[in-house]
Amino acid sequence: MAQERARLRLVDVAEEAGVSIAAASRALSGSTGVSDVIAQRVREVAARMGYVADVHARTLAGGASTSIGLLVHEIGDPYFTEIASGVLRVAAEQGLTVQICHTGRDPDNELVQVRALIANRVRAILIAGSGFVDARTQSAVKKELQTFQATGGRVAVIGRHHLGADAVLPDNTAGGRSITEHVLSLGHRRIAFAVGLPALTTVADRLSGAGQALGEVGLCLDDVPVVEAAFTREGGRLAMQRILAEHPDVTAVIALNDDMAIGVLSALRARGIAVPEQMSVAGFDDVAVAEHLSPALTTVRLPMTEMGEQALSLALKPSSARPRRRPTGHTLVVRESTAPLRAPR
Amino acid sequence: MAQERARLRLVDVAEEAGVSIAAASRALSGSTGVSDVIAQRVREVAARMGYVADVHARTLAGGASTSIGLLVHEIGDPYFTEIASGVLRVAAEQGLTVQICHTGRDPDNELVQVRALIANRVRAILIAGSGFVDARTQSAVKKELQTFQATGGRVAVIGRHHLGADAVLPDNTAGGRSITEHVLSLGHRRIAFAVGLPALTTVADRLSGAGQALGEVGLCLDDVPVVEAAFTREGGRLAMQRILAEHPDVTAVIALNDDMAIGVLSALRARGIAVPEQMSVAGFDDVAVAEHLSPALTTVRLPMTEMGEQALSLALKPSSARPRRRPTGHTLVVRESTAPLRAPR
DNA sequence: TTGAAAGCGCTAACAG
DNA sequence: CTGTTAGCGCTTTCAA
């Protein structure tokens, strides 16, 4: 028979230890003003009884919240998964719990989720993933976040600006330039880009870097096919099919994230087109599977786990007068999916 | 200048609407006992002011908790990511928030995380991922969970038994049998297994199914190499290297999850061994990338997203006298990585 | 150092 | 149907 015992309360511990609940509280929450003897005894008793303080009561009474919120586009996307992994690591280390929400890539959803996080009185809100270039969709969120910060909440974002908060900024522009320069240096000129919604700042930034690289060889983005699709594996597959149909002379494809690149590879394999012999393919992010694909994917590595760790670290620091910016680096990772342009057939 | 305004409280809304806080509370929490007129008005005012109730105060006052906890081994593992995705979907639908924790595959960590979830007064705790065959490591967790349930908490587990809670049971044994039968039917007899820690019930169950299939052709597990390594990509790579070194006559490898299979494929590619021409490879789970690998991976599909959805649904139902069991199905997905045994060289 | 008592913001009895 | 009031379990003044 399960004991229908009520949950253990602080008063139970205090009684057992023979002290007041105030003393017990001080001992357990690690604040000053208790003799070491009592503190020690209370902690022992609590441990023995298996007492764990009610987070809601503690937070309501004015104690600092021990939970933080993480908002991502889609938890199934490896980019966000790796970021989440970094956040979880630091959180566990600090004894913080993490509420993860995802918008399912629906911008309207973002406001709902942010509100929920605020209602949960999280200590900090972390928002990962590109915002939309369209400022209008963002203004409500921004306002909500501003109020949150004004009342002591902390906010850090990964990969977006214009939110008036500390930010970890992935090296999208420079990375876009690097990967494009790499493909260009291999001799390719008929390059197609498989891109996600151009309203995403991530897409816009990476593309802008690509444009710079193109400029160095006297080309520009208008000269090459830029095919839009969902920022997912399926989107990559669709984009590649369109590239094949509409631009048969293309010799290299740069996908603006690895997920799309995986779809691109898939479509190519289905059509019997050899990579990199007949077509070079490059991605962006260096998600964990990228090196295990066949051919192993040439891509731009972003330190995603660290980005998650860093975002939480920023959010745990007291807020500064001006938002902090932590740019990340990037590394061009050349593997097997890109090769020099062959002599024309 | 950011207004250093205090957070909006229920009383602010009540005043603005010209009603008592009780009426306002009833209107906002959707309970009965308010006239439609007032309810309507209060809701309008609250919306206009941007009021959101404090979750901690609400929960402390006896309202049902709106958050649930999800504990996984490793959020970076696609198996858990897809489960999490299903949980998040249902949670969003129900207006619930989800606290995700991961143990980092450290069994001792499990207890810490469960305690934290309980302290957070989550409405339900979902535990995904195989427990350890060793009952001793589990007993503390089990006890904690028992108390949690006795005080009204709900628990559902995915892929483990013996925790005295509702369970979603992946078809591990039957799946292990199916995939092994498939490889056997292709003519392979020198089959190696790349497995995770055998203390994991998932590994034990899948292996047991494999044993059954082997029995059908007069073999048993002792007749074939079973190589242990971490249940990860890296583990798969290591296992494959050992198989190649110690059992050069093997013609097929069954990895007990897709992550390991990816590592197996990687190791094979590094050694220049063609799949499936020289070696057949099979996985388990059918994670999202499996179909995009080259060669596309033959595997056993488990409905992971649904498993997550179902676990939360179970946990949201009132508890029953005896723990419920929801077995999942499985589907053998034959793709390109397995092929008939070639005539001996 | 210690303890008594006043809330934190809300829900749920209880009166009206 | 409406409002008043007593807590929920904890932290934190405030006296002692």
Side-chain angles (χ1 to χ4, degrees):
Chain A
M1 298 301 123
Q3 279 262 132
E4 198 38 277
R5 225 187 10 64
R7 211 169 256 126
L8 241 38
R9 288 161 313 157
L10 182 58
V11 49
D12 300 319
V13 176
E15 259 173 26
E16 180 78 13
V19 298
S20 70
I21 67 166
S25 168
R26 287 190 270 253
L28 261 18
S29 63
S31 47
T32 66
V34 224
S35 62
D36 290 353
V37 205
I38 288 194
Q40 189 59 32
R41 173 148 43 100
V42 171
R43 277 194 279 265
E44 272 172 24
V45 170
R48 179 158 50 71
M49 300 175 80
Y51 169 78
V52 185
D54 183 317
V55 171
H56 296 296
R58 184 171 263 186
T59 307
L60 185 58
S65 163
T66 61
S67 82
I68 68 121
L70 171 64
L71 181 55
V72 301
H73 284 187
E74 171 62 54
I75 191 66
D77 182 327
Y79 177 78
F80 294 111
T81 302
E82 295 189 27
I83 288 177
S85 180
V87 172
L88 250 30
R89 209 192 58 65
V90 175
E93 200 176 286
Q94 306 280 328
L96 265 20
T97 62
V98 181
Q99 301 192 11
I100 301 186
C101 336
H102 71 341
T103 61
R105 305 188 193 282
D106 171 6
D108 294 335
N109 214 337
E110 201 169 280
L111 183 58
V112 176
Q113 306 285 1
V114 166
R115 283 225 170 105
L117 254 16
I118 293 177
N120 275 275
R121 299 292 181 263
V122 293
R123 180 188 303 187
I125 294 179
L126 268 28
I127 304 186
S130 174
F132 288 79
V133 166
D134 172 22
R136 207 169 45 79
T137 28
Q138 297 293 298
S139 75
V141 172
K142 184 169 181 175
K143 194 178 143 221
E144 205 79 30
L145 252 23
Q146 222 74 63
T147 310
F148 177 65
Q149 293 187 86
T151 55
R154 295 284 294 121
V155 178
V157 300
I158 299 175
R160 62 166 77 184
H161 355 277
H162 313 308
L163 234 40
D166 288 352
V168 174
L169 271 0
D171 216 0
N172 288 323
T173 307
R177 181 173 182 145
S178 290
I179 191 72
T180 308
E181 283 174 347
H182 163 69
V183 173
L184 248 14
S185 77
L186 258 18
H188 297 277
R189 286 302 177 272
R190 306 296 309 171
I191 303 173
F193 289 85
V195 312
L197 282 185
L200 291 169
T201 55
T202 301
V203 172
D205 290 351
R206 293 179 182 180
L207 218 36
S208 135
Q212 293 173 12
L214 253 18
E216 290 164 5
V217 297
L219 257 38
C220 80
L221 278 171
D222 293 335
D223 299 328
V224 300
V226 175
V227 178
E228 295 171 30
F231 220 18
T232 62
R233 283 179 284 262
E234 190 50 30
R237 169 138 57 183
L238 261 28
M240 191 66 237
Q241 286 169 355
R242 282 190 42 205
I243 292 170
L244 253 19
E246 299 170 14
H247 309 279
D249 57 344
V250 157
T251 63
V253 176
I254 298 179
L256 256 33
N257 75 6
D258 284 354
D259 237 26
M260 283 194 93
I262 289 171
V264 164
L265 251 20
S266 240
L268 254 14
R269 195 154 45 84
R271 292 284 281 269
I273 298 174
V275 177
E277 293 77 7
Q278 296 170 268
M279 182 81 74
S280 282
V281 174
F284 204 117
D285 287 344
D286 197 26
V287 300
V289 288
E291 63 168 315
H292 296 280
L293 296 171
S294 175
L297 190 66
T298 292
T299 186
V300 172
R301 174 178 305 154
L302 250 26
M304 296 171 287
T305 305
E306 283 167 41
M307 283 157 52
E309 296 174 348
Q310 220 167 87
L312 181 48
S313 301
L314 278 178
L316 258 24
K317 289 203 171 85
S319 87
S320 63
R322 293 188 314 112
R324 301 181 184 85
R325 315 209 148 258
R326 291 267 183 288
T328 72
H330 76 272
T331 319
L332 177 66
V333 183
V334 177
R335 289 196 274 240
E336 308 162 0
S337 65
T338 48
L341 177 66
R342 297 249 166 144
R345 329 99 197 271
Chain B
M1 300 300 124
Q3 279 261 133
E4 199 35 277
R5 224 187 10 65
R7 212 170 254 128
L8 242 36
R9 289 162 311 157
L10 181 57
V11 45
D12 299 319
V13 176
E15 258 172 28
E16 180 78 13
V19 298
S20 73
I21 67 166
S25 168
R26 288 189 271 254
L28 261 19
S29 62
S31 46
T32 66
V34 224
S35 63
D36 291 353
V37 205
I38 287 195
Q40 188 60 33
R41 174 148 44 100
V42 171
R43 277 195 278 264
E44 273 171 23
V45 171
R48 179 158 49 71
M49 299 175 80
Y51 169 79
V52 185
D54 183 317
V55 170
H56 294 117
R58 185 171 261 186
T59 307
L60 185 57
S65 163
T66 61
S67 83
I68 68 122
L70 171 64
L71 181 56
V72 301
H73 284 187
E74 172 61 55
I75 191 66
D77 182 328
Y79 176 78
F80 295 111
T81 303
E82 296 190 26
I83 288 175
S85 182
V87 172
L88 249 31
R89 209 192 57 67
V90 174
E93 201 176 287
Q94 307 278 329
L96 264 22
T97 63
V98 181
Q99 299 192 12
I100 300 185
C101 336
H102 72 340
T103 62
R105 305 187 193 282
D106 171 6
D108 295 334
N109 213 337
E110 202 169 277
L111 184 58
V112 176
Q113 305 286 359
V114 166
R115 283 225 170 105
L117 254 15
I118 292 176
N120 275 275
R121 299 292 181 262
V122 293
R123 179 189 301 187
I125 295 179
L126 268 28
I127 302 186
S130 173
F132 287 79
V133 166
D134 172 21
R136 206 168 47 77
T137 28
Q138 297 294 298
S139 75
V141 172
K142 183 168 182 175
K143 192 177 144 223
E144 206 80 29
L145 253 22
Q146 223 74 62
T147 310
F148 176 66
Q149 294 187 86
T151 55
R154 296 283 294 121
V155 177
V157 300
I158 299 176
R160 64 165 77 184
H161 357 276
H162 313 309
L163 233 40
D166 289 351
V168 174
L169 271 0
D171 216 0
N172 286 324
T173 307
R177 181 174 183 146
S178 291
I179 191 73
T180 308
E181 284 174 348
H182 163 68
V183 173
L184 248 15
S185 77
L186 257 18
H188 296 278
R189 287 300 177 272
R190 306 296 309 170
I191 302 173
F193 289 85
V195 313
L197 282 185
L200 290 169
T201 56
T202 302
V203 171
D205 291 351
R206 293 179 182 182
L207 218 37
S208 135
Q212 294 173 11
L214 252 19
E216 291 164 5
V217 298
L219 257 38
C220 80
L221 278 171
D222 292 335
D223 300 328
V224 300
V226 175
V227 178
E228 295 172 29
F231 221 17
T232 61
R233 283 178 285 260
E234 191 49 29
R237 168 137 58 181
L238 262 26
M240 191 66 237
Q241 286 169 355
R242 281 190 41 206
I243 292 170
L244 254 17
E246 300 170 15
H247 310 278
D249 56 346
V250 157
T251 63
V253 176
I254 298 179
L256 255 35
N257 75 6
D258 284 354
D259 236 24
M260 284 194 92
I262 289 171
V264 165
L265 251 19
S266 240
L268 254 14
R269 195 153 46 84
R271 292 285 279 269
I273 298 174
V275 177
E277 293 77 8
Q278 295 170 271
M279 183 80 74
S280 281
V281 174
F284 205 115
D285 288 344
D286 196 26
V287 300
V289 288
E291 63 167 315
H292 295 281
L293 296 171
S294 174
L297 190 65
T298 292
T299 187
V300 172
R301 173 177 306 155
L302 251 26
M304 295 172 287
T305 306
E306 284 166 42
M307 284 156 53
E309 296 174 347
Q310 221 166 87
L312 181 47
S313 301
L314 278 177
L316 259 23
K317 289 203 172 84
S319 87
S320 63
R322 294 189 314 112
R324 302 181 183 86
R325 314 210 151 257
R326 290 267 183 290
T328 72
H330 77 271
T331 319
L332 177 66
V333 182
V334 177
R335 289 196 274 240
E336 307 163 1
S337 66
T338 48
L341 177 66
R342 298 246 166 149
R345 329 96 197 271

